[in-house]
Amino acid sequence: MRELKNKLTTGKNTKNIQRRKGKSFGYQVLGFGSGTGVDLLSVEYLVVAGGGGANPSIYGGFAAGAGGFRTSVSGATSGGGASAEPPFEAEYGTSYTVTVGAGGPSQSTIGLSYTQQGASGKGVSSVFATVTSIGGGAGTYFQDDKDVDMNDGGSGGGGPDLGPPNPPTTAGQGTPGQGFRGGFNVVLGNGGGGGAGQVGLNGSFTPGGPVSAGDGGDGVQSAINGGAGTYYAGGGGGGLWSYGNPTPAQGGGVGGLGGGGNGASSFTPTTAQAGGQNTGGGGGGSSGAPVAPYMGKAGGSGIVIVRYADTVPDASATNGTKTTIPGYKVYTFTQSGSITFNK
């Protein structure tokens, strides 16, 4: 019997074995106590929030930050350089909510206040059960003496001019364990949005030389659904504003790997791109020209993916698509729904 037990509890799926907790008077206890037992299933997850939207400005547009990125896949990396989280311990028969956050919109009106732009442009958080990833920070223009918390998010939107009196903390900040901060504006080149895997890059300017906007920070690669892996949660590229300046310039900043949208440029001219759908990518920044082709763009929607051992029966999922990879059953949500794990 001991030999048989050892065989049953070893192998490739030991990280997803069913666990059992006892309940006694409303409290869960391990290994002792009276009452009925509750079987738990270890579920690995990827939860990516909606990316922020980049709003217009007469001074050029800061790029938007990517949505927060959280994962519990063993050996993987969460956003902001954090290690993978512990798997979620699901109770059989319980329905768990899945919310897929929308990308933040880009406003078409240049006269909105800083607060209106920031509030409207933030991405929407994504949720699996008790796991929440925060929506990406908006890309907004603001005066140097303003609070910039509206640019904060899972990853932060671009920030004000680099240098005194603007320390690095005044860029849009990312959420620890989910994403990085945005980059800074330098003269006419606006900073890129932060990504889940990298800080947004600063704009650059050399007197008599080229001006360039900052690229969006790269996202993080996940192989939760098999294969070589996919990048999610890239920051948007910053926009370039010409203002009649004859200085040579490159195009807008390039969006980060993982759905970040490219920034606009009135030098080239090129238009901005929206964040990729179901990637959590941030929207590309505007060039500052008050006409539609040069406006900033919306963020990309998020995604939720969960997986568990293929020895367990199929789950009951609403709006979740089932696939299989060696050792796992995988459920992917590109829109909100729910999932119940069956015994």
Side-chain angles (χ1 to χ4, degrees), residues 14 27 57 64 70 131 141 181 233 332:
T14 54
Y27 295 91
S57 160
R70 295 179 65 179
V131 180
Y141 171 75
R181 68 168 175 83
T332 300

Side-chain angles (χ1 to χ4, degrees), residues 218-284:
D218 287 338
V220 176
Q221 193 173 25
S222 173
I224 188 170
N225 54 357
T230 301
Y231 277 92
Y232 297 95
L240 271 179
W241 180 46
S242 65
Y243 193 51
N245 191 325
T247 302
Q250 300 172 4
V254 177
L257 292 175
N262 294 339
S265 171
S266 56
F267 282 99
T268 313
T270 54
T271 59
Q273 295 177 342
Q277 290 301 300
N278 298 123
T279 68

Side-chain angles (χ1 to χ4, degrees), residues 26-249:
Y27 295 91
Q28 291 187 333
V29 294
L30 290 172
F32 57 89
S34 60
T36 59
V38 177
D39 287 332
L40 301 178
L41 174 67
S42 289
V43 179
E44 294 180 333
Y45 56 80
L46 169 67
V47 181
V48 179
N55 291 305
S57 160
I58 59 173
Y59 297 103
F62 302 127
F69 178 109
R70 295 179 65 179
T71 188
S72 65
V73 174
S74 179
T77 301
S78 276
S83 299
E85 302 174 2
F88 178 74
E89 301 294 336
E91 290 191 13
Y92 288 103
T94 297
S95 178
Y96 292 101
T97 298
V98 175
T99 302
V100 176
S106 174
Q107 297 300 319
S108 60
T109 304
I110 289 176
L112 292 178
S113 71
Y114 160 76
T115 300
Q116 288 173 320
Q117 284 195 17
S120 65
K122 276 196 169 183
V124 179
S125 298
S126 290
V127 181
F128 162 57
T130 60
V131 180
T132 300
S133 289
I134 306 300
T140 63
Y141 171 75
F142 47 84
Q143 300 293 339
D144 291 346
D145 60 351
K146 295 285 187 180
D147 187 356
V148 298
D149 62 352
M150 302 308 287
N151 288 55
D152 296 344
S155 295
D161 289 345
L162 180 61
N166 298 300
T169 52
T170 58
Q173 297 297 294
T175 300
Q178 299 192 29
F180 287 96
R181 68 168 175 83
F184 287 91
N185 171 48
V186 178
V187 189
L188 305 177
N190 291 287
Q198 184 185 30
V199 170
L201 302 186
N202 301 329
S204 66
F205 170 72
T206 302
V211 179
S212 62
D215 293 342
D218 287 338
V220 176
Q221 193 173 25
S222 173
I224 188 170
N225 54 357
T230 301
Y231 277 92
Y232 297 95
L240 271 179
W241 180 46
S242 65
Y243 193 51
N245 191 325
T247 302

